[in-house]
Amino acid sequence: SVGSPIDINLLKWNENIYSDYDNLTLSSDIVGLKVKDGNSKEEMKVSNLTSMITIEIPIRNYDSRYKRQYACIYWDTNQNKWAGDGCTYIGASRKGGQYVGICQCNHLTEFSLSSQFTDLIGRSGFQYLDDIAETFRNGGLFKRSGNSEIILS
């Protein structure tokens, strides 16, 4: 009801506390916000908001020389895995002496950042390896001789 007290708990973990379920490598600590009824101490679910909540998450080992694609993720307690629906990565910003990833989400839970390296033209690491493999397959670095392949030097 209106005017009832609430408790707000800010949470932070330096490692993936869910690694037993999902061993995703995270690019940030895990941060969370729990809202509880001040009287009953029951956790209040905050979800499907029409206005997004902005969350700033410190990025580990941020280096502006390398291009990374970041994604805002949260721990989905129903599926026991990291998920991203309901959250949008806005960008990175320098705050104090470090960079933070800015996320906007329509719910509250535990959040983190995942990232994927991209090369200078925006291909992900996996796409880049696929391009290299395709070059090999198309004879770019090999010369066919019968059924064998010989590396050109």
Side-chain angles (χ1 to χ4, degrees):
S1 66
V2 177
S4 296
I6 60 169
D7 290 335
I8 298 175
N9 298 315
L10 298 172
L11 311 165
K12 180 182 173 194
W13 294 273
N14 296 331
E15 58 188 41
N16 186 352
I17 59 173
Y18 301 111
S19 62
D20 288 347
Y21 302 100
D22 188 334
N23 202 18
L24 180 69
T25 300
L26 304 176
S27 297
S28 70
D29 293 341
I30 298 171
V31 297
L33 183 69
K34 302 261 186 193
V35 180
K36 296 182 180 182
D37 181 287
N39 295 321
S40 70
K41 304 300 181 198
E42 287 185 37
E43 187 173 336
M44 301 168 65
K45 186 172 175 100
V46 179
S47 61
N48 298 319
L49 300 173
T50 55
S51 295
M52 302 296 263
I53 298 170
T54 300
I55 302 155
E56 294 181 354
I57 306 171
I59 301 173
R60 284 189 196 139
N61 305 318
Y62 184 86
D63 190 334
S64 60
R65 295 175 298 172
Y66 301 103
K67 186 175 178 182
R68 291 187 174 269
Q69 293 176 338
Y70 288 97
C72 300
I73 56 175
Y74 70 94
W75 184 252
D76 185 328
T77 56
N78 295 324
Q79 297 186 32
N80 281 339
K81 69 176 190 174
W82 290 102
D85 55 301
C87 290
T88 303
Y89 179 74
I90 303 302
S93 177
R94 189 170 178 88
K95 297 276 181 162
Q98 70 181 79
Y99 282 87
V100 296
I102 302 168
C103 300
Q104 289 188 335
C105 300
N106 67 359
H107 60 276
L108 292 178
T109 183
E110 285 93 32
F111 300 95
S112 189
L113 296 171
S114 68
S115 68
Q116 184 177 52
F117 170 76
T118 58
D119 67 12
L120 296 178
I121 58 173
R123 294 177 299 188
S124 72
F126 292 119
Q127 290 168 322
Y128 189 68
L129 291 174
D130 286 345
D131 290 348
I132 292 172
E134 188 62 28
T135 301
F136 280 95
R137 282 191 293 272
N138 289 332
L141 299 175
F142 290 107
K143 179 179 179 182
R144 287 204 180 268
S145 174
N147 289 334
S148 61
E149 295 179 328
I150 301 169
I151 299 177
L152 298 175
S153 54

